[in-house]
């Protein structure tokens, strides 16, 4: 959990500030860009490096790619180093998808998150995340991505949904209009 450790270097426990999440968004909110930028890059690399090596260097594109792609997301979301109380794994998600599709999926996901937040003016990040992930799933299906890629994405989305479930239960429609 790079966000957590970078916060510790600055003598900040990001789990006790902001929303208590040990991920990039809370690191940015609590420690500013000095913690936010390195956290973002390192959490992205955590997802990117193993998937890139297996997929692009070793050229593994079959079912064996699934656990390799999901492992960084699971490890971030349920970190054994923080009693399985990890972050939401959004930047790690971006990292694995940069490795799998280079620019394509991260660009679509980023654009959709921006569209929901600023275009539709949905205030709640939880709703934006769900809408963005579902939009990418539709995109993957329409672009005829392989069943392996769709399975990786749906599993990735499931992990993110588990992590934001508590927040989702507190969302009201009126707050987002």
């Amino acid at each position: 959990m790079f966000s957590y450790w970078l916060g510790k270097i600055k003598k900040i426990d990001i789990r006790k500030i902001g929303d208590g999440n040990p991920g990039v968004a809370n690191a940015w909110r609590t420690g500013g860009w000095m913690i936010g930028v390195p956290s973002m890059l390192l959490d992205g690399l955590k997802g990117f490096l193993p998937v890139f090596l297996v997929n692009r260097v070793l050229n593994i594109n079959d079912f064996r790619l699934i656990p390799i792609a999901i492992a960084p997301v699971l490890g971030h979301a349920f970190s054994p180093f923080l009693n399985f109380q990890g972050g939401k794994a959004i930047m790690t998600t971006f990292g694995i998808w940069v490795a799998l599709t280079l620019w394509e999926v991260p660009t679509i996901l980023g654009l959709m998150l921006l569209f929901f937040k600023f275009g539709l003016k949905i205030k709640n990040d939880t709703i934006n995340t769900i809408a963005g992930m579902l939009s990418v799933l539709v995109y993957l299906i329409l672009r005829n991505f392989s069943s392996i890629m769709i399975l990786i994405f749906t599993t990735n989305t499931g992990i993110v949904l588990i992590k934001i479930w508590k927040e989702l239960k507190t969302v009201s429609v009126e707050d987002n209009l």
Side-chain angles (χ1 to χ4, degrees):
M1 299 298 303
F2 293 110
S3 303
Y4 172 76
W5 292 112
L6 289 168
K8 284 292 204 185
I9 290 169
K10 295 285 247 175
K11 304 211 183 327
I12 299 169
D13 185 347
I14 66 169
R15 298 173 305 166
K16 295 180 179 171
I17 304 172
D19 68 359
N21 187 298
V24 170
N26 203 35
W28 198 292
R29 277 187 227 114
T30 60
W33 69 270
M34 293 284 288
I35 294 176
V37 170
S39 295
M40 186 171 58
L41 294 173
L42 290 168
D43 279 355
L45 276 172
K46 175 177 25 183
F48 174 81
L49 284 176
V51 177
F52 182 83
L53 289 172
V54 167
N55 184 240
R56 303 287 175 165
V57 176
L58 298 177
N59 201 30
I60 294 174
N61 297 304
D62 56 22
F63 70 93
R64 296 173 296 168
L65 182 59
I66 297 169
I68 302 300
I70 293 305
V73 175
L74 268 175
H76 184 89
F78 303 100
S79 174
F81 302 108
L82 295 176
N83 296 322
F84 300 96
Q85 300 297 316
K88 296 173 190 165
I90 303 300
M91 280 311 303
T92 308
T93 292
F94 271 94
I96 69 167
W97 287 97
V98 168
L100 291 170
T101 66
L102 300 179
W103 62 271
E104 193 171 3
V105 168
T107 300
I108 297 300
L109 180 55
L111 288 173
M112 295 312 298
L113 292 172
L114 289 171
F115 171 72
F116 290 116
K117 183 159 189 92
F118 298 110
L120 295 181
K121 298 187 188 315
I122 297 174
K123 298 173 190 167
N124 187 283
D125 289 339
T126 302
I127 299 297
N128 287 334
T129 300
I130 293 169
M133 298 292 276
L134 290 175
S135 298
V136 172
L137 181 58
V138 170
Y139 176 82
L140 294 174
I141 292 167
L142 292 175
R143 288 264 297 121
N144 291 319
F145 270 70
S146 72
S147 58
I148 298 292
M149 297 290 256
I150 291 172
L151 187 55
I152 291 170
F153 194 82
T154 54
T155 305
N156 184 173
T157 301
I159 294 165
V160 171
L161 286 173
I162 290 168
K163 291 304 295 183
I164 63 176
W165 186 253
K166 283 187 239 171
E167 295 170 22
L168 186 58
K169 292 192 297 189
T170 65
V171 170
S172 78
V173 175
E174 293 82 24
D175 292 340
N176 290 294
L177 299 176

